[in-house]
Amino acid sequence: MDNLNNQIIIVTGGAAGIGGGITSELVKRGASVIAVDVNEEAGLAIEKKNEGKVIFLKGDVSQEAVAQEAVELALTKFGKLTGLVNNAHVSRQKPLMELTEDDWSISFDTGFRATLNFMKAAYNELKKSEGAIVNFGSGAALQGSRFQASYAAAKEAIRGLSRVAANEWAADNIRVNVVCPLALTAGVEKWKENFPEDYNHVVEKIPLGRFGDPQSDVAPIVAFLLSEDSKYMTGQTLMADGGDIKLR
């Protein structure tokens, strides 16, 4: 499948986990990727595996300058930018009353503010290419999962931002959509090992009966939103969660 031929896409958190799956799938479909991540080992590995198609940028997405650096790298290496995937997000799970100012800051800085800064940095180039943005929400935010207050608040802020940008930037032919994934990442695998009963309880409520695979289940939905196949979609939230949540 080559529905992303000649596309140049920035993926934050693009070296491992869901982001690594997205990077690999986008390359498989013909795109070139700037993978922004703090994980140097994983970043260099995915760059080496996809030589000439993936450029790794070691950077903290909470730093505004990193967003501009990623855009400049896309232009230097590939001559344009056609897509942006804001996947990176760091947060700490604690009861609401135990969250510190630092806990709130890390979630909003790596999640909401990083998403905003990358969108702003990419805007002019995406306007030229009539490109697409895929931001990440969360089922934990939609359901108000316990111990996820700072994460859920930042994710819903991202969804609100995405809807506004979809309306404002439609005139520039920039599409902005949101994906909420439920994927079997390394973190979920660890949780499954340590708390098998809790894991099984969650799986039992998923209509399709399993957590998704980052590359084969979640990444194709992201690829669809970056491709011409979704050219009449913007401002939407798509659930890549096996049917766990049905939006009304």
Side-chain angles (χ1 to χ4, degrees), residues 136-173:
F136 270 64
S138 172
L142 291 167
Q143 297 189 114
S145 298
R146 295 189 312 150
F147 312 133
Q148 298 276 13
S150 64
Y151 180 71
K155 285 302 191 189
E156 286 298 271
I158 288 169
R159 288 213 309 141
L161 170 68
S162 301
R163 289 191 293 268
V164 172
N167 284 331
E168 290 190 8
W169 295 358
D172 302 313
N173 289 312

Side-chain angles (χ1 to χ4, degrees), residues 66 77 161 208 223 230:
V66 172
K77 296 294 184 179
L161 170 68
L208 291 182
S230 62

Side-chain angles (χ1 to χ4, degrees), residues 77-237:
K77 296 294 184 179
F78 301 113
K80 63 180 179 178
L81 179 67
T82 66
L84 168 64
V85 180
N86 282 303
N87 158 76
H89 197 151
V90 177
S91 69
R92 300 179 182 127
Q93 298 182 19
K94 294 181 182 179
L96 174 57
M97 293 301 291
E98 294 180 15
L99 287 165
T100 66
E101 283 300 315
D102 186 59
D103 295 330
W104 285 100
S105 292
I106 194 171
S107 183
F108 270 81
D109 288 349
T110 63
F112 173 74
R113 290 190 180 89
T115 295
L116 173 61
N117 288 336
F118 271 83
M119 288 173 67
K120 290 169 65 178
Y123 170 76
N124 285 331
E125 295 306 320
L126 293 180
K127 183 177 179 180
K128 293 176 187 176
S129 64
E130 298 186 352
I133 296 171
V134 179
N135 293 331
F136 270 64
S138 172
L142 291 167
Q143 297 189 114
S145 298
R146 295 189 312 150
F147 312 133
Q148 298 276 13
S150 64
Y151 180 71
K155 285 302 191 189
E156 286 298 271
I158 288 169
R159 288 213 309 141
L161 170 68
S162 301
R163 289 191 293 268
V164 172
N167 284 331
E168 290 190 8
W169 295 358
D172 302 313
N173 289 312
I174 298 173
R175 297 181 298 103
V176 186
N177 291 292
V178 175
V179 171
C180 295
L182 187 64
L184 194 60
T185 60
V188 174
E189 287 274 18
K190 187 175 181 180
W191 172 63
K192 177 183 177 181
E193 292 173 10
N194 293 330
F195 304 98
E197 290 185 6
D198 291 346
Y199 172 83
N200 289 330
H201 180 65
V202 172
V203 170
E204 286 170 2
K205 296 192 295 183
I206 302 172
L208 291 182
R210 61 183 176 84
F211 276 72
D213 178 81
Q215 182 170 349
S216 63
D217 291 321
V218 176
I221 295 173
V222 175
F224 163 70
L225 292 174
L226 291 166
S227 76
E228 281 293 302
D229 293 336
S230 62
K231 64 184 178 181
Y232 197 52
M233 289 182 67
T234 194
Q236 304 303 309
T237 296

